[in-house]
Amino acid sequence: MSFSLLWIPVTLAASLLQTARNLTQRSLTEVIGVVGATQVRFLFGLPFALLFLVLVCLASGALPPMPDLRAFGFAVFGALTQILATALMLAAMRERSFAVTTAYTKTEPVQVALFGAALLGDALGWPKFAAIVVATAGVVLMSWKPGDKLSAAGMRPAALGIGAGAAFALSAIGFRGAIQTLPEGHFLMRATTILALGLALQTLLLTLYMLVANRPALILSLRNWRRSLTAGFLGAAASQCWFLGFSLTTAANVRTLALVEVPLAQIASRRIFSEGTSWRELLGMAMIVAGVGALLLLAI
């Protein structure tokens, strides 16, 4: 049985689950703050990742593969860069609007493609690279506010936002590298093993940090355990789908297809709030659809 195209539905599922997780985390932010809500994704997601791993082991009748030093190094790299990416993104959002910061961070697919080609040897021809650039340019066009100019004062948030996109790209490369370099196991086993390992590393690091620097937020997240568990489950489920995608195709393919959530979210918000859509937003959505469509045709 061929699983060559399975990355497409699992990536779409990851996008939907991530959107639901973001909504849940947004509600938690009002109660436990940004740092606390960010940490919930890891602390309360880890039990579900371990449960996923147990279920995969029971279904396959095999134990998880033991990561060698190279796979463990990739996992550590992915875990650390994902934490760094989140911190840079939040820092950028303190200084610029959500829309502009999103435009900066959504340069990630182009950076993923470049890093993947350089670090993992992922195939990257000019047609695929052109499709990624078109889709990413569409995101930037939709997110950018008319009249915004990059002045000297705006260099810091721009650097933070683009740095966040680079860190997210490196995180995707790190986790895909860890999955690829595991010595054995079916793609589902390898993806789930690295998910559990990555969340364990992130939970350990962030919990230690919060015990030292922000203990009240950690305590509040435990008190709000019901919503925290929901966010943790959605985060773990989304990550499970992302990692499955990474195990089946290049990180650039996965991250570019995930851009479909941008026009879908835009359409939904327009319908809910009965707001009009500008020509710039329509053109941006068309560019995203064209870029993603071209990527899928090249991948099939």
Side-chain angles (χ1 to χ4, degrees):
M1 180 178 179
S2 174
F3 294 99
S4 60
L5 298 181
L6 183 60
W7 68 273
I8 296 175
V10 298
T11 298
L12 295 175
S15 300
L16 292 173
L17 288 165
Q18 180 165 288
T19 300
R21 186 207 68 204
N22 289 340
L23 291 172
T24 306
Q25 282 186 295
R26 180 179 296 178
S27 68
L28 279 168
T29 301
E30 301 172 1
V31 180
I32 61 179
V34 172
V35 176
T38 301
Q39 181 264 355
V40 157
R41 166 188 180 182
F42 305 112
L43 177 61
F44 288 88
L46 178 58
F48 293 105
L50 295 175
L51 175 61
F52 297 159
L53 184 57
V54 169
L55 292 175
V56 170
C57 290
L58 291 175
S60 63
L63 293 176
M66 184 63 66
D68 58 17
L69 188 60
R70 189 161 179 255
F72 185 78
F74 269 122
V76 170
F77 180 74
L80 291 176
T81 49
Q82 189 174 59
I83 293 173
L84 174 62
T86 303
L88 290 173
M89 181 181 67
L90 293 175
M93 286 182 179
R94 291 192 187 101
E95 301 188 29
R96 294 298 299 269
S97 69
F98 176 80
V100 173
T101 301
T102 299
Y104 292 139
T105 60
K106 288 301 183 181
T107 59
E108 178 195 1
V110 172
Q111 300 187 70
V112 166
L114 295 175
F115 290 139
L119 300 178
L120 299 179
D122 289 338
L124 182 64
W126 284 110
K128 183 180 292 186
F129 183 75
I132 293 170
V133 170
V134 169
T136 304
V139 173
V140 174
L141 186 62
M142 284 184 62
S143 303
W144 198 267
K145 289 185 176 180
D148 277 342
K149 294 181 179 179
L150 185 61
S151 62
M155 288 299 294
R156 174 179 161 81
L160 289 171
I162 295 173
F168 277 125
L170 289 170
S171 174
I173 295 303
F175 286 130
R176 172 164 161 79
I179 291 169
Q180 283 186 310
T181 53
L182 279 177
E184 58 186 4
H186 188 262
F187 76 90
L188 179 58
M189 176 68 81
R190 288 186 283 114
T192 311
T193 299
I194 295 303
L195 170 63
L197 176 59
L199 279 176
L201 291 169
Q202 291 166 324
T203 298
L204 176 63
L205 292 172
L206 285 176
T207 301
L208 289 175
Y209 168 77
M210 294 187 71
L211 283 172
V212 174
N214 200 345
R215 190 171 298 180
L218 177 61
I219 294 172
L220 281 173
S221 70
L222 295 173
R223 288 178 178 172
N224 290 270
W225 62 270
R226 288 184 178 85
R227 276 194 287 176
S228 296
L229 273 177
T230 300
F233 168 74
L234 291 170
S239 295
Q240 176 74 68
C241 290
W242 290 128
F243 283 27
L244 283 174
F246 293 153
S247 71
L248 293 166
T249 188
T250 65
N253 285 351
V254 173
R255 289 308 198 197
T256 304
L257 177 57
L259 293 179
V260 298
E261 68 186 76
V262 179
L264 291 176
Q266 185 78 7
I267 293 170
S269 65
R270 294 307 183 193
R271 287 188 176 276
I272 291 172
F273 297 108
S274 300
E275 297 173 349
T277 302
S278 68
W279 68 268
R280 174 178 52 84
E281 291 164 336
L282 289 172
L283 178 59
M285 283 188 276
M287 291 172 68
I288 294 170
V289 172
V292 170
L295 175 71
L296 293 179
L297 288 175
L298 291 169
I300 294 175

